[in-house]
Amino acid sequence: MLEEIQAFMEYLEMVKRASKNTVLSYRRDLLQLTEYLKEQGIYDPAKVTQTSLNSYILYLEGKGKAASTVSRVIASIKAFFHYEVCEGKVKRDPSECLKPPKVEKKAPVVLTVEEVDRFLNQPDKETPKELRDKAMLELLYATGIRVSELVGLQMQDVNEQIGFITCRDGQKERTVPFGKTAGRALHRYLADARQELLKGKDSPWLFTNCSGKPMSRQGFWKIVKIYGKKAGIVSEITPHSLRHSFAVHLINGGADLHVVSSMLGHADLATTQVYIECMKNEALRVAYSGAHPRE
């Protein structure tokens, strides 16, 4: 199946113009399916049956995989076999009867403005590492970009003079503005910290780790956890928390929903509208707290 999977990956990249993360996710899911099918003596997509796919899903659930993970795997399998049918490599789609499990939708974690201020003020030392951390956190909150987009920024993607960055996700590209506070943090990092982290080496990447290599997503997640704990934030803070907070704070400040959606890189406005619900729920909670006699 490896050749068919590779052809599908090329189709996603060249025809569907899927993001890099989407392609990597599909590839990982399908390669894991391939390993399972090999153990069942199945090597050809045309030999895959509804029964073999159902048994794989049961296998994943038996290993304790989360419903969200199983749903994503099913989406990957369905996309692959739909492609195989369209290409004429498989006569009948064996995945058509797969039903994703119900995934409980959790409300996004949104920090208050005061919590964000406290969090962003944690890196306060003049060391190269903390100047970098400050710039990364300020830029993330100022633009609402994804963590993968943040660590993927190159020097050529930043225009300090007019305050814009260019994000690239697969074949898609968008330009996002950032404000003066993020601009100052970024300038300090570039002027006083980046070269020390690079230790004389050259690199196209905007943000690097202490060894001069590109900052990884995992490395940045650890940074967020450390400063969240230092700031005394009780909620489960992640890099996405700043993205959610960016969106809600902008909308709450009167920004147009279409503009916010464009800055976030959402393909569908409905994805952005979830933040309207967050604001409604918070308003209800505040009203209840102030009015209920037992509060």
Side-chain angles (χ1 to χ4, degrees), residues 3-213:
E3 288 184 10
E4 287 84 357
I5 291 173
Q6 182 55 37
F8 178 53
M9 295 302 108
E10 291 172 3
Y11 165 77
L12 289 176
E13 291 175 333
M14 306 303 294
V15 178
K16 299 296 286 184
R17 295 185 178 274
S19 71
K20 183 179 179 181
N21 284 342
T22 298
V23 174
L24 289 174
S25 176
Y26 276 38
R27 185 194 300 275
R28 181 179 61 248
D29 291 341
L30 293 171
L31 289 178
Q32 288 173 355
L33 169 65
T34 299
E35 290 303 311
Y36 174 83
L37 292 174
K38 278 183 184 178
E39 293 178 3
Q40 314 304 312
I42 302 171
Y43 300 90
D44 185 348
K47 302 291 185 183
V48 177
T49 64
Q50 291 181 10
T51 301
S52 55
L53 290 180
N54 277 321
S55 68
Y56 180 59
I57 299 306
L58 289 172
Y59 164 76
L60 292 178
E61 292 174 340
K63 289 185 70 176
K65 297 294 184 183
S68 57
T69 300
V70 175
S71 291
R72 191 202 67 231
V73 169
I74 289 175
S76 299
I77 292 171
K78 280 181 168 290
F80 173 69
F81 279 103
H82 177 72
Y83 166 79
E84 290 289 285
V85 170
C86 291
E87 291 293 304
K89 296 177 180 179
V90 171
K91 290 182 180 179
R92 185 175 177 183
D93 185 350
S95 70
E96 60 186 1
C97 291
L98 287 181
K99 302 291 183 187
K102 275 193 172 182
V103 179
E104 181 185 351
K105 288 188 176 180
K106 294 182 180 178
V109 174
V110 177
L111 305 177
T112 66
V113 173
E114 186 274 332
E115 284 177 324
V116 170
D117 284 342
R118 203 164 72 236
F119 175 69
L120 295 180
N121 286 331
Q122 291 311 308
D124 58 359
K125 297 184 175 62
E126 297 296 307
T127 64
K129 180 184 179 299
E130 293 217 10
L131 290 175
R132 179 207 61 198
D133 295 349
K134 176 78 169 174
M136 293 187 79
L137 295 174
E138 289 284 1
L139 194 61
L140 192 64
Y141 177 63
T143 59
I145 60 177
R146 302 172 180 89
V147 62
S148 58
E149 295 171 331
L150 179 73
V151 299
L153 286 173
Q154 297 190 21
M155 291 295 291
Q156 65 181 12
D157 298 327
V158 182
N159 190 320
E160 277 195 89
Q161 287 187 326
I162 59 175
F164 276 89
I165 57 170
T166 300
C167 288
R168 295 180 180 84
D169 189 9
Q171 300 291 326
K172 298 173 185 175
E173 183 179 296
R174 72 185 189 282
T175 302
V176 186
F178 58 83
K180 292 179 181 177
T181 303
R184 285 193 293 269
L186 186 60
H187 181 77
R188 284 293 314 279
Y189 162 69
L190 292 173
D192 303 329
R194 186 170 178 271
Q195 286 306 314
E196 284 199 45
L197 291 172
L198 285 173
K199 296 178 173 60
K201 293 181 285 187
D202 193 22
S203 172
W205 305 105
L206 176 61
F207 296 113
T208 70
N209 61 25
C210 294
S211 301
K213 296 177 181 177

